[in-house]
Amino acid sequence: MSSDSAASTPPTLDDLDGIARVYPHGPNQFHIVRPQIEQRASLVKIWGIKPGEKVLEIGCGQGDCTVVLATAVGDEGSVTAIDPASLDYGSPYTLGQAQAHLKASPVGNRITFVQSDPVTFVQSTSERYTTAVLAQCSWYFSSPRVWSDILAVLLERVDRVCISEYSLTASDPRAAAHVLATFAQAALEVHKNESSSNCRTVFSPERLKDAAIVAGLKLQQETLIVPPEGMLDGRWEVGWVLSKDFEKEIDENVKDEREKAVVIAARDSVRAALELLKAKDEKVHTMDVWVATFTKN
């Protein structure tokens, strides 16, 4: 795990290379990490995260958004980053490995990682935060109710809520395969009682927005952004749907013939979209991302 900036001064928000070097990566992985950091930095700038803020991040995972938030808030600010997943979850680095690496980094003193159910944590703390951030984490929730429950408890602890999620739209036609792969996964996931998938409950921006408004939040701003070239999430999701392991999961979890036909057809549509790209010598792009800021009514 690279630590070439472990002893250096903290990077600035405009120093994307510097932030990417702080984030855990192997010798040949910088080109993968850099676009991820660029996309997270775009979010943080749209949300207007300021130095000195006290940020609560829900669903931090390995901390790719956490490190950008910690850069933005500066030494006078802080980021409390929560994720309920086991510390041995994740690849190529587990949550535990990535979080330990970031704690030892130049921005580590600004970050507190918490392994907890978000609702339980927020209900148990008396702390107040300037901003809650939920960056592309809602699809990991086990049901729509989890999203609503989190928004409800956040109202008591934060001044505003900043959200991003994949939009299910493809401004770049190369991202159509990523959109289709999402629905293929969603068609399979509804047949599972438990899951470690990236797409457990798929929300559209409209449903996320509606839930926020019902919870008592007011939409302040929203926009769509196209992820940078080199952000590989779309390729990873397409690759998973077309893998033998995904096919095996269909057989193991979907018993009704008609329901299985839906999942298989969705998978076939992903393969067809990929073949169209290959015929043009193009690769899968990652779909658009919806970015929004909410305040209290």
Side-chain angles (χ1 to χ4, degrees):
M1 195 180 301
S2 176
S3 57
D4 42 1
S5 62
S8 67
T9 58
T12 65
L13 191 56
D14 291 324
D15 181 11
L16 299 181
D17 285 354
I19 302 172
R21 290 190 184 98
V22 169
Y23 190 72
H25 61 279
N28 300 315
Q29 295 174 330
F30 185 80
H31 71 287
I32 298 174
V33 169
R34 175 58 167 72
Q36 295 278 347
I37 295 301
E38 180 180 346
Q39 193 261 345
R40 286 347 187 226
S42 296
L43 302 178
V44 169
K45 290 177 180 178
I46 292 170
W47 290 326
I49 304 295
K50 299 290 192 295
E53 283 210 48
K54 191 173 182 180
V55 175
L56 177 66
E57 183 190 6
I58 305 294
C60 65
Q62 284 101 332
D64 50 0
C65 192
T66 311
V67 68
V68 180
L69 290 167
T71 301
V73 301
D75 282 331
E76 300 304 313
S78 65
V79 180
T80 300
I82 304 170
D83 201 293
S86 170
L87 294 180
D88 61 7
Y89 174 81
S91 176
Y93 301 107
T94 66
L95 268 67
Q97 290 171 327
Q99 292 176 8
H101 180 88
L102 291 177
K103 283 296 293 179
S105 78
V107 296
N109 63 324
R110 306 172 186 175
I111 304 170
T112 300
F113 286 108
V114 180
Q115 184 189 12
S116 173
D117 170 75
V119 172
T120 301
F121 174 81
V122 175
Q123 288 178 330
S124 69
T125 183
S126 59
E127 295 288 337
R128 289 200 59 83
Y129 303 88
T130 57
T131 302
V133 166
L134 299 97
Q136 284 138 261
C137 66
S138 70
W139 290 3
Y140 287 89
F141 298 158
S142 59
S143 72
R145 176 163 293 279
V146 174
W147 177 253
S148 298
D149 289 346
I150 289 174
L151 293 173
V153 297
L154 286 177
L155 279 174
E156 305 170 9
R157 293 286 177 262
V158 304
D159 298 325
R160 63 178 187 147
V161 178
C162 296
I163 301 169
S164 72
E165 192 51 87
Y166 293 112
S167 68
L168 302 175
T169 61
S171 296
D172 187 324
R174 295 175 298 165
H178 185 197
V179 176
L180 292 170
T182 298
F183 285 110
Q185 291 185 70
L188 172 60
E189 286 299 310
V190 295
H191 296 279
K192 296 182 182 179
N193 293 323
E194 295 183 1
S195 176
S196 59
S197 169
N198 294 341
C199 302
R200 302 171 202 180
T201 302
V202 175
F203 298 91
S204 68
E206 285 302 315
R207 298 289 76 78
L208 294 173
K209 186 168 32 177
D210 288 349
I213 292 170
V214 168
L217 293 167
K218 179 181 179 181
L219 179 65
Q220 184 181 59
Q221 65 169 344
E222 63 177 328
T223 190
L224 288 180
I225 63 172
V226 178
E229 292 289 342
M231 187 169 164
L232 301 180
D233 297 56
R235 294 185 207 175
W236 293 331
E237 298 301 339
V238 167
W240 162 240
V241 167
L242 298 181
S243 70
K244 289 293 184 182
D245 286 339
F246 188 85
E247 184 178 13
K248 181 180 178 182
E249 287 201 3
I250 295 174
D251 291 334
E252 291 175 346
N253 292 283
V254 188
K255 303 305 178 184
D256 182 87
E257 288 187 6
R258 293 177 66 194
E259 293 172 347
K260 181 174 287 189
V262 171
V263 184
I264 293 172
R267 184 172 186 253
D268 288 343
S269 72
V270 175
R271 180 180 289 105
L274 181 60
E275 290 303 318
L276 287 173
L277 289 176
K278 287 181 176 179
K280 300 176 183 178
D281 197 26
E282 295 178 342
K283 295 182 178 180
V284 174
H285 194 69
T286 299
M287 76 173 86
D288 305 338
V289 175
W290 174 70
V291 190
T293 302
F294 293 85
T295 55
K296 295 181 182 179
N297 279 325

